[in-house]
């Protein structure tokens, strides 16, 4: 029984692998690299948001020293801020949301979308009438792109959180950036 099951699994895997073109493998590789880069940006942004939120909730100004000490030490524990609903102190950099989201993305969601892409590209071609497109390839492409767009949306969501929660004063950042540029150009 075990041998028959293994043979069936091997046949299914060989059929899937043989149905995947070299171009699709290359496209998936590019998407995986781009998604990984966006995931790094998203995670860095999420950590920065938690650092800024810790400083805001604990009435610490966002000076360079406070940002560094929060990132290295204070942000990993519980702050003085109490959640009004649960009356518990909040965890910031070690929050369940931060860890759970990253684990689910890397180990479940994104690999599942890539496997679905491989399955659909391995299906027989189903032409879409009056076009040169195939339905199976279209679905495979959409499934392959979902992790990339998901990371783009996550980055936008993090930026909105920064703006809406007033964690960063973008006008002040912009004016300081202009000062640095003027000083660098000698127009100060």
């Amino acid at each position: 029984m075990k041998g028959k099951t293994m043979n069936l699994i091997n046949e299914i895997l060989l059929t899937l692998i043989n149905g995947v073109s070299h171009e699709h493998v290359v496209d998936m590789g590019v998407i995986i690299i781009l998604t990984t880069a966006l995931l790094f940006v998203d995670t860095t942004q999420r950590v920065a948001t938690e650092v800024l939120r810790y400083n805001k909730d604990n009435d610490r100004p966002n000076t360079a020293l406070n940002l560094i000490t929060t990132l290295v030490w204070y942000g990993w524990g519980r702050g003085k801020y109490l959640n009004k609903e649960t009356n518990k102190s909040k965890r910031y950099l070690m929050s369940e949301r931060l860890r759970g989201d990253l684990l689910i993305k890397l180990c479940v969601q994104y690999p599942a979308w890539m496997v679905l892409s491989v399955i659909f590209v391995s299906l027989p071609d189903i032409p879409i009438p009056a076009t040169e497109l195939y339905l199976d390839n279209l679905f495979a492409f959409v499934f392959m792109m979902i992790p990339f767009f998901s990371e783009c949306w996550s980055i936008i969501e993090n930026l909105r959180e920064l703006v809406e929660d007033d964690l960063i004063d973008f006008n002040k950042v912009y004016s300081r950036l202009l000062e640095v540029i003027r000083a660098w150009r000698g127009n100060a």
Side-chain angles (χ1 to χ4, degrees), residues 106-180:
L106 288 174
C107 297
V108 179
Q109 288 176 346
Y110 295 171
W113 287 117
M114 293 300 170
V115 168
L116 275 173
S117 177
V118 167
I119 290 170
F120 270 79
V121 83
S122 300
L123 293 174
D125 289 340
I126 304 167
I128 300 173
T131 68
E132 294 183 18
L133 298 174
Y134 295 101
L135 192 61
D136 57 313
N137 290 339
L138 184 65
F139 275 112
F141 179 75
V142 168
F143 290 150
M144 179 176 58
M145 294 300 292
I146 285 175
F148 176 78
F149 285 121
S150 177
E151 281 307 309
C152 290
W153 292 322
S154 182
I155 289 170
I156 292 168
E157 181 182 294
N158 289 337
L159 286 173
R160 285 190 60 129
E161 186 177 341
L162 284 171
V163 171
E164 290 173 357
D165 293 348
D166 291 327
L167 296 177
I168 292 180
D169 183 2
F170 283 101
N171 290 330
K172 186 188 263 185
V173 171
Y174 180 70
S175 64
R176 286 199 181 161
L177 181 64
L178 286 178
E179 287 176 22
V180 169

Side-chain angles (χ1 to χ4, degrees), residues 16-36:
L16 285 176
I17 291 170
N18 289 334
V20 179
S21 68
H22 178 72
E23 291 88 16
H24 191 74
V25 172
V26 170
D27 290 345
M28 280 181 58
V30 169
I31 293 300
I32 289 170
I33 290 169
L34 291 174
T35 303
T36 303

Side-chain angles (χ1 to χ4, degrees), residues 21-148:
S21 68
H22 178 72
E23 291 88 16
H24 191 74
V25 172
V26 170
D27 290 345
M28 280 181 58
V30 169
I31 293 300
I32 289 170
I33 290 169
L34 291 174
T35 303
T36 303
L38 288 176
L39 186 65
F40 177 76
V41 169
D42 181 42
T43 304
T44 303
Q45 197 178 31
R46 184 81 239 150
V47 167
T49 301
E50 292 298 326
V51 166
L52 293 168
R53 184 173 309 289
Y54 178 90
N55 285 342
K56 181 181 180 184
D57 289 348
N58 291 283
D59 300 320
R60 292 168 48 104
N62 284 323
T63 62
L65 182 62
N66 281 348
L67 291 172
I68 291 169
T69 56
T70 300
L71 179 63
V72 173
W73 184 256
Y74 295 114
W76 296 95
R78 295 182 185 273
K80 293 182 279 184
Y81 174 79
L82 292 178
N83 186 330
K84 293 175 184 167
E85 296 171 6
T86 62
N87 207 23
K88 292 184 178 179
S89 60
K90 181 179 177 183
R91 294 180 73 179
Y92 292 86
L93 291 173
M94 286 299 294
S95 71
E96 262 185 68
R97 178 181 168 213
L98 184 65
R99 291 175 290 148
D101 287 352
L102 190 59
L103 183 68
I104 289 171
K105 282 179 184 179
L106 288 174
C107 297
V108 179
Q109 288 176 346
Y110 295 171
W113 287 117
M114 293 300 170
V115 168
L116 275 173
S117 177
V118 167
I119 290 170
F120 270 79
V121 83
S122 300
L123 293 174
D125 289 340
I126 304 167
I128 300 173
T131 68
E132 294 183 18
L133 298 174
Y134 295 101
L135 192 61
D136 57 313
N137 290 339
L138 184 65
F139 275 112
F141 179 75
V142 168
F143 290 150
M144 179 176 58
M145 294 300 292
I146 285 175
F148 176 78

